[in-house]
């Protein structure tokens, strides 16, 4: 898949301040040496991301938490032991050595230990922290293959490590442990129930007005084609009516997702639907149960982001 030589090359690029896109178990990341401000600036420029939207620092193992965070509460170690390496990001009070560019000037830092073997190989060989947002342009659907990344960034990335399609397909769950009580900032593959089980206490809901996690902006994750989410019966009716008007319609219904778990196909499918060149995307509303919370969250945002395109 990815050879040792490619990893060595990617590490050399990181050390030289370049950008390396790499697979994680969730989505591809667009990485730079987290301790090199010039390199981190290039990430923001390539993504077209505002500077006050902080980046996740990816490290090889939980031991490195102490290099990046201070006042680490016991809950952080509990979650790290249970879910790392894996699709969980922890927000902790930052160590003074963390660059302001990475944290958007906040007093906290986002940390994650990804489990993907290519990400692990890269981080181990590199040794330090890799600041990496999802490898998509700001506000767009995340990239789940190396090909998506190349299409999104072209020559702006110095190296794309191709680890095939990512497993989870939806970004990591984000938990804020920097405040008085643990709070969920972004739903993801690891569910609230799993987190509460591990912590032995309830999670506070995110402050919906908080601009701290831009993934929580209503318009985030928007495809370019107008998208609507609705129950199956309504969807069929609307699809028929739009078809009569000569509109090209892309449909994402649950039956297409059913053979896999919720997160596995959704992001990739949405991107495919967006690229199908249709006038409208109709999505069957996901079930209300907890396992689908992250999917409901992303779909709501995707729909909100395209509302103004709807005639
Ligand atoms: O699965 C993932 O998390 C992927 C892979 C590449 O690791 N990364 C990812 O990064 O989704 P990004 O930058 O697209 O989303 C990270 C989210 C953003 O919403 C950001 O605002 C939030 O994490 N974040 C980062 N640092 C934060 C901090 N100090 N406090 C609160 N939120 C923070
Ligand atoms: Mg993102």
């Amino acid at each position: 898949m990815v050879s040792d030589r490619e990893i060595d090359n990617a590490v050399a690029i990181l050390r030289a301040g370049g950008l390396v896109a790499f697979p994680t178990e969730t989505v591809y990341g667009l990485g730079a040496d987290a301790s090199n401000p010039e390199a981190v600036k290039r990430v923001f420029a390539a993504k077209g991301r505002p500077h006050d939207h902080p980046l996740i620092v990816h490290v090889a193992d939980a031991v490195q938490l102490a290099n990046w965070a201070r006042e680490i509460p016991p809950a952080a170690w509990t979650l790290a032991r249970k879910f790392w390496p894996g699709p969980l990001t922890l927000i902790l009070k930052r160590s003074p050595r963390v660059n302001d560019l990475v944290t958007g000037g906040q007093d906290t830092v986002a940390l994650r230990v990804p489990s993907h073997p290519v990400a692990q190989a890269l981080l181990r060989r590199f040794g330090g922290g890799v600041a990496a947002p999802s490898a998509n342009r700001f506000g767009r659907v995340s990239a789940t293959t190396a090909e998506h990344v190349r299409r999104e960034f072209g020559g702006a990335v110095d190296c794309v490590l191709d680890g095939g399609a990512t497993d989870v397909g939806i970004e990591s769950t984000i938990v804020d442990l920097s405040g008085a009580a643990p709070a969920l900032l972004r739903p993801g593959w690891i569910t609230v129930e799993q987190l509460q089980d591990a912590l032995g206490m309830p999670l506070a809901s995110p402050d919906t007005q908080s601009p701290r996690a831009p993934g929580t902006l209503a318009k985030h994750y928007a495809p370019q084609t107008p998208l609507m989410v609705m129950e199956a019966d309504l969807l069929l009716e609307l699809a028929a009516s739009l078809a009569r008007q000569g509109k090209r319609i892309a449909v994402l219904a649950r039956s297409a997702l059913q053979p896999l778990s919720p997160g596995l196909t959704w992001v990739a499918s949405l991107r495919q639907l967006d690229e199908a060149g249709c006038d409208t995307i109709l999505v069957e509303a996901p079930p209300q149960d907890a396992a689908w919370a992250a999917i409901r969250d992303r779909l709501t945002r995707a729909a909100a982001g395209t509302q103004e395109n709807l005639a």
Side-chain angles (χ1 to χ4, degrees), residues 80-293:
R81 190 173 332 111
K82 177 99 185 165
F83 299 109
W84 280 353
L88 177 69
T89 296
L90 299 181
I91 307 291
L92 295 165
K93 289 194 179 139
R94 75 184 218 184
S95 135
R97 65 162 279 217
V98 185
N99 199 279
D100 267 343
L101 276 169
V102 172
T103 65
Q106 303 193 53
D107 191 36
T108 54
V109 61
L111 290 158
R112 168 157 126 76
V113 176
S115 64
H116 194 291
V118 173
Q120 274 288 324
L122 179 71
L123 292 169
R124 282 197 188 284
R125 200 80 55 94
F126 179 59
V130 172
S134 52
N136 53 276
R137 296 184 63 80
F138 184 64
R140 300 283 314 280
V141 176
S142 298
T144 53
T145 67
E147 184 50 35
H148 291 164
V149 178
R150 289 193 198 98
R151 246 185 284 159
E152 197 91 355
F153 294 104
V157 182
D158 301 303
C159 159
V160 181
L161 292 173
D162 188 346
T166 61
D167 284 341
V168 173
I170 199 161
E171 304 85 346
S172 60
T173 306
I174 304 182
V175 177
D176 184 359
L177 295 175
S178 69
L184 180 76
L185 293 191
R186 181 171 72 182
W189 182 254
I190 292 173
T191 66
V192 172
E193 288 68 24
Q194 285 174 288
L195 294 164
Q196 293 181 156
D197 272 2
L199 290 170
M201 66 189 290
L203 274 184
S205 288
D207 170 0
T208 46
Q209 297 313 309
S210 171
R212 297 176 62 209
T216 61
L217 292 177
K219 284 174 63 155
H220 238 76
Y221 310 106
Q224 288 171 332
T225 315
L227 177 147
M228 289 178 275
V229 183
M230 67 202 68
E231 299 300 329
D233 49 348
L234 237 177
L235 189 155
L236 287 173
E237 258 179 61
L238 186 60
S241 141
L242 289 171
R244 280 196 297 276
Q245 297 165 34
K247 294 270 201 296
R248 299 191 58 212
I249 308 143
V251 173
L252 180 60
R254 211 150 57 239
S255 46
L257 299 176
Q258 215 108 63
L260 302 165
S261 312
L264 284 176
T265 53
W266 181 74
V267 172
S269 301
L270 188 53
R271 182 176 280 268
Q272 282 162 10
L273 291 173
D274 200 19
E275 287 171 355
C278 291
D279 301 306
T280 305
I281 301 171
L282 301 182
V283 181
E284 181 186 352
Q288 284 304 313
D289 56 283
W292 289 81

